[in-house]
Amino acid sequence: MSEWETVIGLEVHAQLTTKSKIFSGASIAYGAEPNTQACAVDLGLPGVLPVLNQAAVHKAVKFGLAVDAFIEQHAVFARKNYFYPDLPKGYQISQLDRPIVGKGSLDIQLEDGTERCINITRAHLEEDAGKSLHEDYHGMTGIDLNRAGTPLLEIVSEPDLRSAEEAVAYLKTLHALVTYLGICDGNMQEGSFRCDANVSVRPVGQTELGTRCEIKNINSFKFVEKAIQIESARQIALIESGGKVHQATRLYDPTKNETRAMRSKEEANDYRYFPDPDLLPVVLSDEYIAAIKADMPELPKAKCARFEKDYGLSAYDAAVLTSSRALADYFEAVVKALNGEAKLVANWVTGTLMAALNKDAIRIENSPVNAERFSGLLQRILDDTISGKIAKTVFDAMWTDDVAADVVIEQKGLKQIADTGELEKIVDEVLAASPKQVEQFKSGNEKIIGYLVGQVMQKTQGKANPKQVNALLKEKL
């Protein structure tokens, strides 16, 4: 057992799904040419004033209600001063005192089934900075200010997490929640959902926290897990060799699988926070908050419980299928189209479909086989047009070409053999070619029938109905 305990707190940046920036009307669409989506407000030019985006406030309150947090009805914005080339004003508009969302909590479930409650310190609104570009500017740095002013909700947890695995479970739970709420698209590749991890270590049993290091801008679950494991091991090795951990901001390099120092860690007083004189306090009425609460969608935990109860799914299947709102919606659309048959749909979605999505790194929202076409495929299994094995061949064709299951089945001649006489003839041929196995069956080894079914399936290229084959074999044996 380790003599050391790892202590982790996460600061998650969720980009809000507004149409424009938090203090200007500039677009936040991803992928535009550099510096084509930054207006005078985002550039911090003299004489301009920020105007708060109402939709950002609405989405922040929605999140606060989902984690049973205190909603600040007199929230205040502050200027966080620091100087980077990608921050034209020389300060970031953020919140420190009286953030929009106060203390709350989030329940997480670990892989062994145990549950933990992770406390949330606060969630505050702030604007994102721009981006430094190095690759295309030899010996120089370019600046893209398209992201400057993009609305972020920074969700800060208490240092309640004790392992990289717990941190990932928390992050996945939070990711599911913000996408269910529709306040963030959760696209980690595009930086819409990323986190900073504060990591420290201390001897087991010690209550005082160790010196923490912050690992910045981690944008995948896999990298979060690895970065925390590597940083924790680095700190333990340093202390055990007589060294001392210095508070610092570090970067995780996935290529070298190491963390390395960026700069010493700033404290709040280093940023010289002060109230932004250009922005009035945000005053929220009881009626405003109540209206948002009344319009809340079904949340992941409640949906998971409903999937178990209504569809008779295992806890594991229900958890997988409700891990994102889009996946849950896909599943329910297919089940509805098939008038039930939830277990068949669950098996195919969590098996074949998710394997294809993972292999090609595609989100369910962009699946080449949509819910309507997927239900069309499963319908052909239910009406015995094709076997489950043949259905996988059909699915592969549907995945690469924009075609319906019926078209693939027709073009490739994949319908199951419906002619009993034809099937009986093939069964007879298999029995004649397998005298040893027939003898074994007659001697009491009934399991050998599986071999004979396999032989028939092979001769029919999977187009025989296994149930029908089984019945015919037993009749003739």
Side-chain angles (χ1 to χ4, degrees), residues 13 20 43-44 117 129 131 143 145 164 177 183 239 275 278 287 289 302 325 344 373 438 442 459 474:
H13 290 86
S20 58
L43 297 174
C117 177
K131 183 180 179 184
I143 302 295
L145 293 174
L177 181 60
I183 65 170
I239 296 170
D278 290 338
E287 291 75 17
I289 297 171
R325 184 173 177 174
L344 172 73
R373 290 202 293 134
V438 170
K442 289 181 176 176
K459 282 180 83 71
K474 285 181 179 174

Side-chain angles (χ1 to χ4, degrees), residues 302-331:
K303 194 182 284 280
C304 186
R306 181 169 65 81
F307 274 25
E308 282 188 66
K309 180 174 177 289
D310 291 357
Y311 296 126
L313 300 181
S314 67
Y316 175 80
D317 282 349
V320 171
L321 291 167
T322 56
S323 60
S324 84
R325 184 173 177 174
L327 183 62
D329 288 348
Y330 188 105
F331 167 76

Side-chain angles (χ1 to χ4, degrees), residues 5-293:
E5 180 180 58
T6 303
V7 179
I8 305 153
L10 293 184
E11 299 174 11
V12 176
H13 290 86
Q15 179 179 322
L16 298 175
T17 50
T18 56
K19 292 179 180 174
S20 58
K21 295 185 177 177
I22 187 168
F23 298 118
S24 81
S27 169
I28 60 169
Y30 179 80
E33 286 295 312
N35 297 313
T36 58
Q37 296 189 158
C39 67
V41 175
D42 309 320
L43 297 174
L45 297 181
V48 298
L49 288 173
V51 177
L52 179 59
N53 188 327
Q54 186 179 354
V57 175
H58 185 281
K59 291 172 191 297
V61 172
K62 209 171 186 180
F63 173 78
L65 292 172
V67 294
D68 296 322
F70 170 75
I71 305 299
E72 177 57 70
Q73 292 184 257
H74 200 87
V76 175
F77 281 96
R79 289 185 178 182
K80 181 182 180 183
N81 295 275
Y82 59 104
F83 301 96
Y84 290 128
D86 55 8
L87 196 67
K89 297 192 292 282
Y91 63 85
Q92 177 188 32
I93 302 177
S94 182
Q95 295 187 298
L96 182 63
D97 299 321
R98 311 192 80 159
I100 189 97
V101 177
K103 289 186 180 300
S105 64
L106 185 69
D107 291 333
I108 65 170
Q109 188 171 51
L110 306 177
E111 285 192 1
D112 64 4
T114 58
E115 287 195 358
R116 287 205 58 210
C117 177
I118 306 301
N119 291 298
I120 291 173
T121 312
R122 68 178 187 277
H124 59 263
L125 285 168
E126 66 180 23
E127 59 179 344
D128 205 352
K131 183 180 179 184
S132 298
L133 306 171
H134 305 288
E135 292 181 356
D136 298 329
Y137 301 89
H138 304 294
M140 298 185 292
T141 297
I143 302 295
D144 176 10
L145 293 174
N146 279 355
R147 284 196 71 88
T150 297
L152 301 179
L153 184 67
E154 181 172 334
I155 305 157
V156 182
S157 83
E158 292 289 309
D160 288 348
L161 301 158
R162 293 292 176 269
S163 69
E165 293 74 21
E166 284 190 8
V168 171
Y170 169 78
L171 205 56
K172 286 184 175 178
T173 306
L174 201 55
H175 184 272
L177 181 60
V178 296
T179 53
Y180 264 78
L181 292 170
I183 65 170
C184 173
D185 66 18
N187 192 324
M188 302 180 82
Q189 287 78 21
E190 295 178 1
S192 300
F193 189 85
R194 59 188 194 269
C195 82
D196 303 336
N198 288 292
V199 181
S200 65
V201 298
R202 64 184 175 187
V204 171
Q206 177 178 302
T207 54
E208 183 185 354
L209 294 174
T211 303
R212 67 190 165 97
C213 287
E214 181 183 37
I215 311 169
K216 295 288 287 184
N217 284 330
I218 321 172
N219 66 348
S220 87
F221 298 128
K222 180 181 173 186
F223 290 168
V224 166
E225 184 171 12
K226 285 184 172 294
I228 291 172
Q229 288 170 342
I230 290 293
E231 177 59 18
S232 174
R234 184 191 73 84
Q235 292 185 18
I236 292 169
L238 185 62
I239 296 170
E240 289 184 340
S241 63
K244 186 178 178 183
V245 176
H246 295 283
Q247 190 164 315
T249 299
R250 301 179 70 84
L251 272 180
Y252 172 64
D253 183 338
T255 306
K256 296 181 179 177
N257 197 28
E258 65 177 22
T259 66
R260 57 173 179 267
M262 286 174 64
R263 59 180 187 267
S264 60
K265 175 75 179 111
E266 300 91 340
E267 295 291 353
N269 56 5
D270 294 324
Y271 291 120
R272 295 173 290 112
Y273 279 96
F274 63 86
D276 192 310
D278 290 338
L279 287 161
L280 291 170
V282 180
V283 179
L284 305 179
S285 67
D286 291 336
E287 291 75 17
Y288 176 82
I289 297 171
I292 295 175
K293 191 170 188 177

Side-chain angles (χ1 to χ4, degrees), residues 305-462:
R306 181 169 65 81
F307 274 25
E308 282 188 66
K309 180 174 177 289
D310 291 357
Y311 296 126
L313 300 181
S314 67
Y316 175 80
D317 282 349
V320 171
L321 291 167
T322 56
S323 60
S324 84
R325 184 173 177 174
L327 183 62
D329 288 348
Y330 188 105
F331 167 76
E332 291 209 281
V334 179
V335 172
K336 185 178 178 183
L338 297 179
N339 297 316
E341 302 294 346
K343 185 58 183 169
L344 172 73
V345 179
N347 288 342
W348 272 81
V349 170
T350 60
T352 304
L353 178 64
M354 289 191 68
L357 291 170
N358 291 334
K359 178 174 173 288
D360 292 346
I362 296 174
R363 290 158 62 100
I364 184 70
E365 297 92 322
N366 303 319
S367 171
V369 180
N370 62 25
E372 183 183 355
R373 290 202 293 134
F374 196 66
S375 60
L377 170 64
L378 300 193
Q379 183 60 55
R380 293 297 165 257
I381 299 175
L382 289 170
D383 63 17
D384 287 333
T385 301
I386 54 174
S387 65
K389 185 178 178 183
I390 290 292
K392 290 187 178 176
T393 303
V394 178
F395 176 83
D396 290 342
M398 294 169 70
W399 190 257
T400 52
D401 298 314
D402 186 17
V403 288
D406 286 344
V407 174
V408 179
I409 293 167
E410 190 63 36
Q411 287 180 344
K412 294 181 180 288
L414 298 175
K415 282 185 181 175
Q416 285 193 140
I417 297 171
D419 185 334
T420 307
E422 183 183 353
L423 197 57
E424 195 169 354
K425 183 181 170 190
I426 297 169
V427 167
D428 288 339
E429 288 172 4
V430 167
L431 290 176
S434 311
K436 183 178 171 186
Q437 286 76 19
V438 170
E439 187 57 39
Q440 287 175 345
F441 181 86
K442 289 181 176 176
S443 301
N445 181 8
E446 294 190 358
K447 289 182 180 178
I448 200 68
I449 200 167
Y451 167 83
L452 299 170
V453 172
Q455 291 300 300
V456 176
M457 297 304 291
Q458 191 175 16
K459 282 180 83 71
T460 60
Q461 297 180 316

